[in-house]
């Protein structure tokens, strides 16, 4: 019988080159003209033929003033529309893609233009006329090249935490995840400082039990009630605190499929994620601060209807962590973009729906243990594999599969792969493997059709055929505008196998959803 043990896997984004074609379009600017790209467009002549593309341009940071512009760009007028966001680090693509996923005739493309050289501006202008891709988040570099994010699996960073007797601040510490992390850190010898907007007496009963456990494990632990969105209040309450590490779990979620969020609601979610991080960092003494681990979300990496405000808050959190890492290189910064947790955090009411989508929720005990080990790797500056801890990574759960069952994948993340296990004894000839490979590859990009680029070819040297009776694993991953699918033998979808594949397939992504009628 196949094992059902859930394991965690970590993935980091990698740049994948993208070749794009163009077509004649007209453009119109929605919002401010104060951006190098808009000035470049104004000096150019828009195409006289073709559909009209709405362009929104943002700078290096996402202000509250930009939110109405983004919402207006996605709601202006009936009919088929293509909205292109060009930004220089502000982000905002998660909001546009989430809204586009709710509107059958609207698509969104996001272009990051960090270095507006003449070559980059010319390339970005050409991208306005490019048909929307299944991978719709592009980066234009100073030399004019274009990339998107692919994904590379890495060993989950782990290390023994060197925190004995050291203060560790845990924001959102009376939430379902925060308090469990605090207890685990106390068990590892740390002295947690739990910070939350709620008073301890207002927390749920199970949380209060965890607080009692925390105090038994670490008598010097503190519970601090303060609204971290109030920076002055944070400074008064946390003055003099010199933590060794910070685990940032604070946040809030508002949304639901079909619900229209207001600017105020979206802004409040951003403040609960980014504003609270800025407040606590401005309040504490940095002399002993060695590591900051932020709880992000996999929603920041895809299109999530109903959760676009929460997704935007987590995208903004990751970008703010990147800015802080550049400004404070002596501290180690990491954003863990978790998939759905089981039974804690926002997952309590959505576990059944998540499983229907093919997601495998992360067990709380597994996730908490991984959090402590990840913080240990940050404080040690090395992972269990010896490499530096990445600035951001996606952490997702998967379960070893059985015949006819998917192994599980986080939903809605471009590049996250799909996997399928053929158990021993199944009668699969070459034709059936060809058909199954296409099914697995198509599941990685449900909004697109696939054109076969290469015939299946043997990748394993002669004499190394798989042993009789071994299971087969088919795994597909998006890489730019194509999908790569491999067939491996004798493995189950736990950590990514190191074995050489038996067969390789490659498909071109061709979007089927019409953009303009």
């Amino acid at each position: 019988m196949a094992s059902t043990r859930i394991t965690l896997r970590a993935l980091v984004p990698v740049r994948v080159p993208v070749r794009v074609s163009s077509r004649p379009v007209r453009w119109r600017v929605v919002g401010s003209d104060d951006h190098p790209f808009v000035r470049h467009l104004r000096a150019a002549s828009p195409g006289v033929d073709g559909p009209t593309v709405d362009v929104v341009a943002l700078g290096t940071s996402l202000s509250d003033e930009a939110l109405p512009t983004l919402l207006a760009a996605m709601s202006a007028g009936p009919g088929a529309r293509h909205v292109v966001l060009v930004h220089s680090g502000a982000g905002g693509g998660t909001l546009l893609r989430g809204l586009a996923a709710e509107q059958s005739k609207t698509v969104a493309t996001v272009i990051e233009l960090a270095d507006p050289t003449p070559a980059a501006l010319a390339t970005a202008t050409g991208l306005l006329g490019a048909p929307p891709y299944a991978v719709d988040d592009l980066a234009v570099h100073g030399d004019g090249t274009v990339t998107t994010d692919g994904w590379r699996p890495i060993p989950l960073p782990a290390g023994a935490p060197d925190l004995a007797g050291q203060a560790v601040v845990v924001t959102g510490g009376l939430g379902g995840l925060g308090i469990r992390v605090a207890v685990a850190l106390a068990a590892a010898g740390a002295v947690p400082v739990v910070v939350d907007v709620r008073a301890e007496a207002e927390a749920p009963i199970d949380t209060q039990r965890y607080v009692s456990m925390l105090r038994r494990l670490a008598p010097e632990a503190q519970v601090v009630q303060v609204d971290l969105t109030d920076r002055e209040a944070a400074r008064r309450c946390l003055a003099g605190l010199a933590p060794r590490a910070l685990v940032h779990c604070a946040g809030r979620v508002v949304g639901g499929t079909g619900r229209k969020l207001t600017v105020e609601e979206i802004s409040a979610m951003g403040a609960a994620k980014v504003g609270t991080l800025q407040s606590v960092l401005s309040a504490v003494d940095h002399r002993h601060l060695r590591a900051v681990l932020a709880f992000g979300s996999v929603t920041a990496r895809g299109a999530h209807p109903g959760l676009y405000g929460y997704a935007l808050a987590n995208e903004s959190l990751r970008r703010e962590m990147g800015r802080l890492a550049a400004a404070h290189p002596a501290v180690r910064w990491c954003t863990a973009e978790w998939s759905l947790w089981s039974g804690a955090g926002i997952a309590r009411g959505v576990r059944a729906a998540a499983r229907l989508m093919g997601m495998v929720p992360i067990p709380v005990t597994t996730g908490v243990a991984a959090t402590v080990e990840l913080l240990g790797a940050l404080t040690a500056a090395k992972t269990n594999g010896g490499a530096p801890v990445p600035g951001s990574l996606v952490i997702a759960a998967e379960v070893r599969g059985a015949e006819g069952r998917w192994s599980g994948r986080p939903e809605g993340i471009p590049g996250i792969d799909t996997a399928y296990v053929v158990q021993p004894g199944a009668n699969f000839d070459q034709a059936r493997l060809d058909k199954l490979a296409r099914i697995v590859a198509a599941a990685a990009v449900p909004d697109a059709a696939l054109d076969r680029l290469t015939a299946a070819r043997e990748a394993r040297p002669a004499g190394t055929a798989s042993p009789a009776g071994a299971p087969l694993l088919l795994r597909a991953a998006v890489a730019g505008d194509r999908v790569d699918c491999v067939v491996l033998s004798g493995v189950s979808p736990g950590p990514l196998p190191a074995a050489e594949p038996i067969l390789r397939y490659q498909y071109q992504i061709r979007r089927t959803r019409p953009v303009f009628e």
Side-chain angles (χ1 to χ4, degrees), residues 176-228:
L177 299 181
I179 189 60
R180 288 166 170 81
V181 169
V183 168
L185 289 171
V191 180
V193 180
V194 173
V195 181
D196 201 280
V197 68
R198 293 170 295 181
E200 182 181 336
E202 299 170 352
I205 294 298
D206 60 338
T207 298
Q208 294 184 36
R209 294 194 185 103
Y210 275 104
V211 173
S212 298
M213 188 187 306
L214 172 66
R215 290 198 168 105
R216 289 196 299 271
L217 289 168
E220 297 179 359
Q222 302 177 52
V223 176
V224 179
Q225 180 190 7
V226 61
D227 181 357
L228 288 176

Side-chain angles (χ1 to χ4, degrees), residues 313-369:
N314 282 282
E315 179 193 356
S316 298
L317 173 66
R318 183 185 71 243
R319 292 183 179 279
E320 177 64 13
M321 286 284 287
R323 286 187 280 267
L324 289 166
H328 304 281
V331 179
R332 299 173 190 108
W333 309 78
C334 179
T335 305
E337 297 182 293
W338 297 95
S339 184
L340 193 69
W341 286 53
S342 175
I346 69 168
R348 287 181 182 270
V350 296
R351 281 179 292 176
R355 290 192 181 278
L356 288 175
M357 291 193 298
M359 297 174 70
V360 178
I362 298 171
V364 174
T365 53
T366 303
V368 168

Side-chain angles (χ1 to χ4, degrees), residues 278-300:
Q278 294 168 336
S279 287
V280 72
L281 289 172
S282 69
V284 300
D285 187 333
H286 288 205
R287 282 179 297 175
H288 303 296
L289 186 63
R290 186 162 184 172
V292 177
L293 174 61
F295 266 52
S297 169
V298 77
T299 59

